[in-house]
Amino acid sequence: MKKSIVIALLLYVNIFAAPRVGDSAVEFDLPELYNQNKTLNSQALQGKVVLLNLWASWCSGCQEEMPLFVDLQEKYSKNNFVIVTSSIDNVAQSARDFLDRVDKEKQLVSLYDAKKILPKTYRCPGMPSSFLIDKSGTISEVYVGSLDNKAMGELKVKIDKLLEE
Amino acid sequence: MKTLFLVLLLFIVSGCSEKLVRVMPYEKEYFAQDKMSLSPVASRGEQEGHIFLIREASAGGESAFQGGCGCR
């Protein structure tokens, strides 16, 4: 009896555990930021190295790192790498206004997560949060907080490694 | 009886989960607004600082300018 209670408790705790490095990335089907009639399913990203960035226009850290992501996507535009940004703004227009200034060429894949499904599922401890996902859909690295130039250099090394796999 | 107690305890403890008692980082949009800051209007903050200096008849507490000895 005691054993089954302990097992039930462990399962209960495990249900609410956040996805970590080595776990499968959370599947999603979210509308695009610029065309909300169109959605992007995570299945469509299979076979690609993905950097999933959860951000908001009101978050200063997100504002700081976004230009770096635009540069990064530009650098890897010919590779099998894609940066998917998911805005959790209450008003989508705020996110669009910010991205219009930063990502003029629309290099990033921009999604809109009005119900904040992804940060809730990933149980983000901070904003912004980014997840490096390998070609098989497994979380390879988790970044909490904004990435600076140094961290971006380390990220590039990891991306190159994942692209070679 | 013990099982029932444990199940009840589980529900009570889950009510204290971080998700329920803490505003999560992704829920702080309204907190991030300018009007939520302690001095939302920069020019008014400057003015209030000036009035504070006059009322308190001292300088230095509000800014790095002068020593704060009250002998202005």
Side-chain angles (χ1 to χ4, degrees), chain B residues 49-50 53-54 58-70 72:
Chain B
H50 178 70
L53 285 179
I54 295 165
S58 66
E62 181 65 22
S63 67
F65 153 75
Q66 293 197 353
C69 59
R72 195 178 183 185

Side-chain angles (χ1 to χ4, degrees), chain A:
Chain A
M1 184 64 189
K2 272 185 185 174
K3 259 187 183 177
S4 56
I5 290 170
V6 170
I7 291 167
L9 274 169
L10 287 173
L11 282 172
Y12 182 82
V13 170
N14 196 40
I15 286 168
F16 294 102
R20 289 175 294 183
V21 172
D23 292 345
S24 289
V26 173
E27 292 192 0
F28 59 80
D29 190 36
L30 291 172
E32 291 183 4
L33 183 64
Y34 287 93
N35 179 10
Q36 291 186 32
N37 296 321
K38 209 174 158 192
T39 61
L40 177 78
N41 193 296
S42 51
Q43 294 288 335
L45 301 167
Q46 282 282 333
K48 289 181 180 175
V49 175
V50 178
L51 183 73
L52 175 67
N53 173 243
L54 309 183
W55 74 285
S57 66
W58 47 263
C59 149
S60 55
C62 310
Q63 291 173 1
E64 281 170 25
E65 71 175 2
M66 198 58 82
L68 300 176
F69 283 150
V70 175
D71 292 343
L72 187 71
Q73 184 61 79
E74 200 176 351
K75 185 177 183 288
Y76 285 92
S77 59
K78 287 172 187 167
N79 296 89
N80 209 8
F81 170 73
V82 63
I83 298 179
V84 178
T85 64
S86 173
S87 162
I88 57 152
D89 279 81
N90 288 342
V91 182
Q93 190 57 44
S94 310
R96 283 195 287 264
D97 287 346
F98 174 73
L99 277 185
D100 285 343
R101 290 196 304 273
V102 178
D103 184 19
K104 288 176 184 161
E105 307 287 322
K106 302 281 173 289
Q107 307 220 38
L108 306 173
V109 175
S110 308
L111 304 177
Y112 183 51
D113 185 4
K115 291 181 181 170
K116 303 172 182 40
I117 295 164
L118 285 179
K120 279 178 188 168
T121 320
Y122 278 110
R123 296 181 57 80
C124 290
M127 284 291 291
S129 288
S130 302
F131 303 86
L132 185 62
I133 300 162
D134 69 12
K135 289 177 186 173
S136 65
T138 306
I139 301 170
S140 174
E141 205 70 49
V142 178
Y143 302 95
V144 179
S146 61
L147 298 174
D148 55 13
N149 279 316
K150 191 186 166 204
M152 209 53 87
E154 289 165 9
L155 173 64
K156 280 176 192 168
V157 173
K158 279 173 189 157
I159 292 168
D160 290 337
K161 198 178 159 195
L162 289 179
L163 283 170
E164 280 170 17
E165 280 175 4

